[in-house]
Amino acid sequence: MPDVPSPQPYDALLLLSFGGPEGPDDVVPFLANVTRGRGIPRERLEEVGKHYYLFDGVSPINGQNRVLLEALRKDFAEVGLDLPVYWGNRNWAPYLTDTLREMTEAGHRRVLALVTSAYASYSGCRQYRENLAESLAELTAEGLEPPRVDKLRHYFNAPGFVRDMVVGVQDALARLPEDVRDGAHLAFTTHSIPTAAADTSGPPEDHGDGGAYVAQHRDVAKLVADTVAVLTGVQRPWRLVYQSRSGAPHIPWLEPDVCDHLEELHAAGAPAVVMVPIGFVSDHMEVLYDLDTEAAAKAAELGLPAVRSATVGAQPAFVETLRKLILERASAERGEPVERLALGGLGPSHDVCPAGCCPARNPRPATAGAD
């Protein structure tokens, strides 16, 4: 009989995500949560929220997290992994503090957090660690003794994540007309962030020139493009581009924007393009609006054949990889030798964020790291 995998010392998994509105009445309160402390007036929030109303005020992210939650539970049950899975968000229900309170009252003492962000950055890593510290402090102030929470390492180059993206690109290419398929360019897209935040992403030794954020995305983009080339027999041009900029115009953000890139491709005579959202785990609002709506409209305006590949969502290879990463971390915490899963040229990421990793402009207490 095969050995039953052990998650010890962990007794629960926390799926930790961003959250999103689930109806028109939720949109402005949700955006108020996201921008709390910035003094943004309601009128501006209503303006920013317009694209949510195109989808009846519903962001798909919560629904997709429910699917991932059930996929993890099903996968764990099939291999005999006894690890309860909970879900909490930082900006909408189920709120992180409420979920951690539930876990505390259920008696959990050692929790591993799986964040739905695969790459290093302040907003994709350190800010979640700050949210965890804030929630744990709230529970302590209530007189509870919350569990210790660790954070699963970055999984941008984990085999299942990469494999499912490769499959998505292949499927997208198959949707292009055959006469433009081999000449199609690949536009790998991710969320733009301020260049100052990119330059300080990852450990201090990775800072500068886009930091770990840009390096990790480029590594994965090259890996996916090269793998697709081997599988299709065609080496296609590719570029890392950005989307979803939301900052003040005078602050430099990562470029080029995906729509600007589409214009450049059209001007250069590219026959077609596949937009590959490698920076996103699931098809949430930035994918549905910024790519499927705005970028698709730009491509149509240009007469440039364009398709968008699927995100990994809750595909079986991705879920299996997440389980393996969880067991890898559990083994490491028990002091056992582990084979760390990673593809590409950068190798596996750190288990514990070192001091100076993805620093905040205004430092706040954080957990699951060295500072």
Side-chain angles (χ1 to χ4, degrees):
M1 184 173 181
D3 292 335
V4 176
S6 173
Q8 295 301 316
Y10 300 109
D11 56 23
L13 179 71
L14 169 63
L15 178 64
L16 177 53
S17 195
F18 192 81
E22 300 201 74
D25 294 340
D26 295 345
V27 172
V28 171
F30 161 73
L31 292 173
N33 286 343
V34 174
T35 61
R36 186 184 295 113
R38 301 183 205 172
I40 298 177
R42 181 181 178 88
E43 296 76 21
R44 175 58 181 156
L45 296 179
E46 290 175 345
E47 179 68 25
V48 171
K50 280 185 176 179
H51 59 274
Y52 284 96
Y53 297 118
L54 297 175
F55 302 91
D56 298 321
V58 178
S59 167
I61 191 170
N62 278 358
Q64 290 161 356
N65 279 327
R66 291 185 184 101
V67 173
L68 179 57
L69 188 72
E70 291 309 311
L72 287 165
R73 288 171 174 165
K74 181 175 182 290
D75 177 87
F76 292 0
E78 288 175 349
V79 299
L81 176 58
D82 183 16
L83 190 67
V85 188
Y86 294 77
W87 168 39
N89 294 322
R90 71 193 208 193
N91 293 305
W92 201 250
Y95 288 104
L96 173 59
T97 303
D98 295 336
T99 300
L100 284 172
R101 185 183 298 109
E102 179 186 358
M103 299 175 83
T104 300
E105 292 172 346
H108 296 296
R109 305 307 310 146
R110 191 80 185 271
V111 173
L112 185 61
L114 163 61
V115 173
T116 57
S117 175
Y119 300 84
S121 70
Y122 170 74
S123 59
C125 183
R126 170 88 191 195
Q127 192 170 10
Y128 282 104
R129 293 174 46 223
E130 292 175 349
N131 298 145
L132 283 166
E134 182 179 16
S135 292
L136 294 172
E138 286 186 39
L139 298 183
T140 300
E142 293 174 8
L144 298 173
E145 186 182 348
R148 169 177 164 178
V149 181
D150 294 335
K151 178 184 173 294
L152 190 68
R153 68 178 173 90
H154 303 304
Y155 47 85
F156 62 93
N157 56 3
F161 188 65
V162 174
R163 186 180 309 129
D164 281 336
M165 284 191 290
V166 167
V167 171
V169 173
Q170 289 180 283
D171 291 344
L173 286 166
R175 299 199 307 272
L176 285 171
E178 188 173 355
D179 60 334
V180 299
R181 191 175 301 156
D182 286 353
H185 289 233
L186 306 180
F188 291 94
T189 77
T190 190
H191 208 300
S192 184
I193 61 175
T195 56
D199 290 346
T200 56
S201 58
E205 61 268 22
D206 291 338
H207 291 179
D209 194 25
Y213 186 76
V214 172
Q216 290 171 359
H217 280 88
R218 283 180 176 157
D219 193 57
V220 176
K222 183 178 187 306
L223 181 60
V224 172
D226 288 349
T227 304
V228 169
V230 170
L231 294 173
T232 64
V234 179
Q235 184 72 56
R236 295 174 173 84
W238 65 269
R239 187 172 183 183
L240 177 63
V241 301
Y242 303 93
Q243 61 173 91
S244 313
R245 175 184 171 134
S246 59
H250 68 280
I251 297 176
W253 283 53
L254 293 173
E255 295 178 335
D257 177 78
V258 60
C259 288
D260 293 339
H261 181 58
L262 294 178
E263 291 183 344
E264 292 170 1
L265 289 180
H266 175 66
V273 60
V274 176
M275 295 180 287
V276 188
I278 60 167
F280 305 91
V281 171
S282 62
D283 288 2
H284 52 72
M285 188 57 71
E286 280 85 351
V287 176
L288 289 189
Y289 183 74
D290 297 331
L291 291 184
D292 293 354
T293 305
E294 283 196 330
K298 172 59 70 175
E301 172 193 321
L302 296 168
L304 176 66
V307 292
R308 195 262 294 175
S309 68
T311 52
V312 299
Q315 292 297 315
F318 177 50
V319 173
E320 179 187 12
T321 281
L322 291 177
R323 185 228 311 152
K324 289 179 177 179
L325 291 177
I326 291 162
L327 293 174
E328 171 197 292
R329 178 64 181 274
S331 295
E333 291 294 313
R334 295 195 300 266
E336 300 170 357
V338 295
E339 180 180 352
R340 295 171 66 79
L341 300 175
L343 300 174
L346 296 180
S349 186
H350 45 261
D351 280 337
V352 177
C353 293
C357 193
C358 303
R361 187 166 48 182
N362 300 304
R364 295 163 52 201
T367 192
D371 67 349

